[in-house]
Every structure is written in C-alpha cells, then in structure tokens.
Amino acid sequence: MSSTKVCFNSNCKDALDRSRKGWRRRTGEFADLCDRCASAYEEGKFCETFHLNASGWRCCESCGKQIHCGCIVSFHMFVLLDAGGIECITCARKSFILTPNPAWPPPSLFLPVLPERNKDFSSKNWTQIAGSGPMPWRQAPSLFSSSSAQLELQPRIPFEVDTRSGSDRLFSIDRLSTASLERKTADKLSERVMNGSLKLGASDVLENGNAGINWAEQANVRVNVPQKSSFSKNDTSTSHFSLAVSSLSPNDANDQTKVPGTAAPRPTPTPVIGKIGAGLSGETQIRNGRPRGEARPRTQLLPRYWPRITDQELQKISGEYPNVGHVSMLYYPNHMVLCSNSVFTPLFEKMLSASDAGRIGRLVLPKKCAETYFPPISSPEGLPLKVQDSKGKEWIFQFRFWPNNNSRMYVLEGVTPCIQSMQLQAGDIGVMFQLARYLAWRLTVLP
DNA sequence: TTTCTGCATGGGTCA
DNA sequence: GACCCATGCAGAAAT
C-alpha cells in the first residue's frame, strides 16, 4: 500500500503532497484536507463544489434555499422539521433558539416550540420526516432535544422498538440483562417506570417499519468518501443488529405521546452495527446545528474520527438489507456496521485499540464523538445501549464515563461478547452512522 | 484465582 | 500547555 496520503475528500483525492507549491500544514479537522477542499469547506461551499450533481438537494421550507441533505458534510446545515421537510440552519435559528452550550439545551428553549412542530405528526408519516436526512441527535428536537435536558436530570431506561413487526414495544426493566445495569440501576429504573419515563422513546416514526427508506430513495444518500476501500474477505457472511439507546423524560411523554395519532411512544435514535469495508472520510458534524461557516468549536471531530465509507459500500449495504428493521447491525467479514435499513450516514469512526478489542470489555469512545452523538450523561453510570441483531440476539452496552483529569473518558462497557462474536480485533475500525434520527455504528478492519 | 471496576498515568496530539 | 485516550494498576467482587 502506498504511504502517500490523499485528501480526505473522496471527490478530490488529491495527494497531500506537502512539497508542492501552496501546501500548508493544516490543523484540526483540516489536517487531512487539501487546500482546495479545505477552502471550499471553510467557505461553506463544499457541497456546491463537490456534490452539486449529487442527489439529496432539498429546499429550505422557509427561505427556499437549496441545501444538500445527502452527505455528512452538510447535514449540520439544516434541521429536520417534524412535519416534514427541512429548514436551513439560519431559518431554524429564527424559529427556535439554538443554545451556544454544546450540552443539550434546556427544555424551556424547546418546549414552547416543539409542540407546534410536532403537531403534524398525525398527518405526516415517518418516512416523510426521516426523509429530511440525517442529523445529530442534538439537532433532532422532537426526538431528543426536548428530552435532552431531562436526560441530564432524569434517570434513563432502555427500551426496544421492534420495527420489523411494525409495532413498538418497550424494553422492560426485567429484560435488562446487563448485570451491572441490574446491580447499579435497578432502583433507579423502577423509579423511572413509576415516574413515567419509560413511556418515552418509542415512536410514530416506525409505524411502517421503514423509516428512512423514502429518503434513501429521494436523496440517495451520498457520503463524502473515497472510493479506495473495498470489501474484504467474506462479504457473504452477514447478519443484522439494531442498537437502541433510550430514554425520555416525563416531559417527553407529555410532549410526544399527546400528539394526536401517536399513541405509541417514540423511538430513540437507534444505532446499528454491521460489517463493511473502509472508505475515506466526510466531515462529521457540529453540535447544535452550528453552521459550518462559523468559527469551528473545539468540539468538532478530528479527522481521525471522520467516517470513511464508500458509495459502493453504502449501496451494497442498502441493497443487501432493504427490508430489515429501521436499524440493523450488518456483518461483513472483518467489519461491523451499525446502520439503518436503507440510509447510512457515517458520523465518525474509531480504530479499535488493543484494549478496546481486549477481554476487558471496554471500548473507549472518543470524547467528542461520545458527547456529540450519544445522549448526554451526567452520571458516571451512564445509560444502556441495546443492540439487537436480525436474528433476535441482543446486546446491551453501557455507555458511561469516568472522571479523568477534570474531564471525562467515555466508554462502552460490556462489548466483549459482541467483539468476540464478530471476531473483531485491534485495528478494526468502528464507524458511527446515522440514519435520519438513528445512529449506526460500523466496525471494520484496516486493509 | 480470576474477573471486574474505577482511577491514574503518560505518550501523543492539538491549539 | 492543555487535552485526549490507550493502557496499567490496585482494590473489590465473583467464581
């Protein structure tokens, strides 16, 4: 393999020839972009420059501005409207406050607005909603944001949504198999049930079990990735997983379950796992919908965590798993992908370290990735993430953190069975995907 | 004795 | 210099 680095932008792939004229060392998220791509990115013209002919362009419902909704680079530039369609971040800001705090905004900022935005749930199906494209949890007010602050304040409880059967079913406390969960949180969980938090999370979005499909067809999601990677080894051995994180607050219940026609609770973003090959990157995202043109906060993901997956890989996954549940864990040899059934938007990736893949059963999550794409946690105990494969096999990971030098170190605990089952090793790469409001996670092996 | 859990440490990276 | 994160380590718990 050549050691020559190329631009992270798959549509460019210029060699990062540091000896050529004009080359300048970039830092942070631009470290692996060539000058041309970095400039386009900095100027907010990345999609216009590289994705102009790609599908996924949609109009802001408010101002009519064309927004590219089909790639990882641009998905922070719009906000999903629960009633369907999208709104550019500028208009969205006019509609409701996006707090500068990277943490979840307080419900007081969202609640007065969200009910209005949610009121049309009865007349819009999920595919329309999901069809707006991927977005970080923090940008999905109807699903998480309104509950986000509560998530910090309220205990969480995992739940499961069975989309294959077309019915939502809650994940009951006594089904929590994780020993640590039972040991540490049983009391709290009971309390959560009593206070109603268990209601939250399920969703109107899954009524047809096909969330995201329409959008996939419409937008034909294209991820900014290089074409270099390929599936390796046994692409035939596959299986599916869905991973659900859960929990919503009583406020959510009030908010969401009161929506006419949405008797079922809402689903939380549901990551998926599967195996596929590696590609190259797209940019990930900025919290709270911060426009890319603005000063970039330090919360942005570093290039090393940018997801890498090729269009071919996405198409392969989509083609092979067209009718699985809304989220699935896909197995390919040496790869594990958390994804959703038709639309895959990689959010970030991480190469498994020896300790991640070791017997200790703890997978260290990049801090920014964890804080960006996972629900916020205020307690070191964190919250459970549930994974279910297409055969019904379930995994529960505990998403938690340790205090570390006045900071936090985020980990997924209880991953050993999954790691062993998938025969993952150090050097494999995990990628977090997002399908509309769902997360997905991919693990793959470096060539 | 082994495994689990929580925290500390130090090298690497970034601003 | 600050921060991140891979890893080590010690004490607790389980077998």
Side-chain angles (χ1 to χ4, degrees):
Chain A
M1 177 187 296
S2 169
S3 61
T4 302
K5 294 187 68 175
V6 299
C7 178
F8 251 58
N9 176 17
S10 64
N11 295 299
C12 171
K13 294 189 289 187
D14 282 352
L16 295 183
D17 181 1
R18 304 184 181 194
S19 64
R20 70 181 166 84
K21 184 178 181 180
W23 165 260
R24 65 185 172 90
R25 164 73 177 172
R26 296 184 183 278
T27 59
E29 66 272 31
F30 295 125
D32 293 309
L33 285 179
C34 69
D35 287 349
R36 183 171 65 114
C37 297
S39 295
Y41 176 84
E42 288 171 332
E43 294 166 7
K45 299 176 180 178
F46 195 94
C47 292
E48 286 85 345
T49 303
F50 298 106
H51 301 161
L52 192 58
N53 297 322
S55 57
W57 287 89
R58 302 187 68 177
C59 294
C60 171
E61 296 289 336
S62 297
C63 68
K65 179 182 177 182
Q66 289 280 331
I67 301 291
H68 189 229
C69 304
C71 78
I72 197 71
V73 175
S74 60
F75 74 82
H76 67 282
M77 299 193 69
F78 61 91
V79 171
L80 293 179
L81 297 179
D82 288 331
I86 65 153
E87 200 171 50
C88 70
I89 197 64
T90 302
C91 295
R93 285 190 166 190
K94 294 175 183 176
S95 300
F96 60 88
I97 300 170
L98 293 176
T99 70
N101 188 335
W104 296 70
S108 59
L109 296 178
F110 276 116
L111 293 179
V113 177
L114 294 174
E116 280 299 305
R117 292 175 171 268
N118 289 341
K119 67 184 180 183
D120 203 19
F121 266 123
S122 60
S123 60
K124 303 271 187 174
N125 66 26
W126 165 242
T127 55
Q128 289 176 280
I129 299 167
S132 293
M135 65 190 302
W137 289 6
R138 294 173 199 278
Q139 291 178 248
S142 69
L143 195 63
F144 256 105
S145 296
S146 61
S147 64
S148 60
Q150 289 294 328
L151 287 173
E152 287 287 358
L153 302 173
Q154 298 282 342
R156 297 175 170 83
I157 186 167
F159 68 92
E160 170 187 17
V161 179
D162 183 356
T163 56
R164 286 171 301 212
S165 65
S167 62
D168 297 334
R169 53 193 167 95
L170 294 180
F171 180 80
S172 64
I173 294 174
D174 57 8
R175 294 187 60 192
L176 297 177
S177 59
T178 302
S180 62
L181 177 63
E182 292 173 348
R183 188 166 58 249
K184 295 181 178 179
T185 63
D187 291 345
K188 290 182 179 179
L189 292 175
S190 299
E191 185 179 338
R192 296 169 207 179
V193 174
M194 295 303 292
N195 68 20
S197 62
L198 183 59
K199 292 180 181 178
L200 304 168
S203 144
D204 48 3
V205 299
L206 300 172
E207 288 176 354
N208 60 9
N210 289 321
I213 288 179
N214 285 0
W215 180 59
E217 293 169 352
Q218 295 166 11
N220 185 22
V221 177
R222 305 185 68 82
V223 179
N224 177 29
V225 293
Q227 307 300 313
K228 77 179 179 84
S229 77
S230 61
F231 289 97
S232 62
K233 307 177 186 178
N234 330 318
D235 283 355
T236 53
S237 62
T238 60
S239 66
H240 311 219
F241 274 83
S242 67
L243 184 154
V245 180
S246 169
S247 81
L248 294 171
S249 68
N251 279 349
D252 293 332
N254 294 337
D255 248 23
Q256 299 169 352
T257 59
K258 286 180 180 177
V259 175
T262 56
R266 307 168 69 78
T268 51
T270 306
V272 191
I273 297 175
K275 285 188 168 187
I276 58 178
L280 199 53
S281 100
E283 226 281 3
T284 47
Q285 66 108 49
I286 300 173
R287 288 188 211 171
N288 289 346
R290 186 190 304 275
R292 198 163 294 280
E294 295 187 5
R296 287 170 295 282
R298 295 181 63 181
T299 54
Q300 280 193 327
L301 307 185
L302 299 175
R304 80 181 78 150
Y305 302 123
W306 290 4
R308 304 182 295 174
I309 184 172
T310 65
D311 284 359
Q312 292 98 320
E313 290 166 352
L314 291 173
Q315 290 167 6
K316 184 177 180 67
I317 294 172
S318 298
E320 293 186 2
Y321 304 95
N323 296 312
V324 297
H326 64 288
V327 285
S328 300
M329 175 182 264
L330 309 179
Y331 276 123
Y332 285 82
N334 302 320
H335 307 290
M336 181 171 74
V337 181
L338 278 171
C339 58
S340 197
N341 62 335
S342 299
V343 181
F344 301 87
T345 301
L347 300 180
F348 68 87
E349 74 176 33
K350 186 208 171 193
M351 181 188 299
L352 294 185
S353 67
S355 55
D356 290 335
R359 297 176 60 188
I360 197 166
R362 297 188 298 204
L363 193 156
V364 176
L365 293 170
K367 182 183 178 186
K368 288 184 175 58
C369 300
E371 292 182 342
T372 301
Y373 296 115
F374 285 97
I377 51 177
S378 56
S379 164
E381 293 180 357
L383 76 164
L385 309 179
K386 187 182 180 196
V387 178
Q388 181 183 48
D389 66 23
S390 60
K391 297 175 182 177
K393 188 171 184 178
E394 298 173 348
W395 311 94
I396 294 179
F397 301 150
Q398 188 74 11
F399 170 55
R400 56 174 309 181
F401 70 86
W402 310 319
N404 193 322
N405 294 332
N406 296 320
S407 181
R408 289 179 173 186
M409 186 168 178
Y410 291 91
V411 296
L412 281 180
E413 292 186 340
V415 301
T416 296
C418 182
I419 295 292
Q420 291 178 343
S421 174
M422 304 179 82
Q423 296 183 318
L424 297 170
Q425 303 173 5
D428 292 359
I429 294 177
V431 178
M432 182 65 68
F433 283 80
Q434 181 174 33
L435 163 70
R437 291 171 179 170
Y438 300 102
L439 292 184
W441 188 37
R442 173 180 81 151
L443 292 180
T444 185
V445 170
L446 287 179

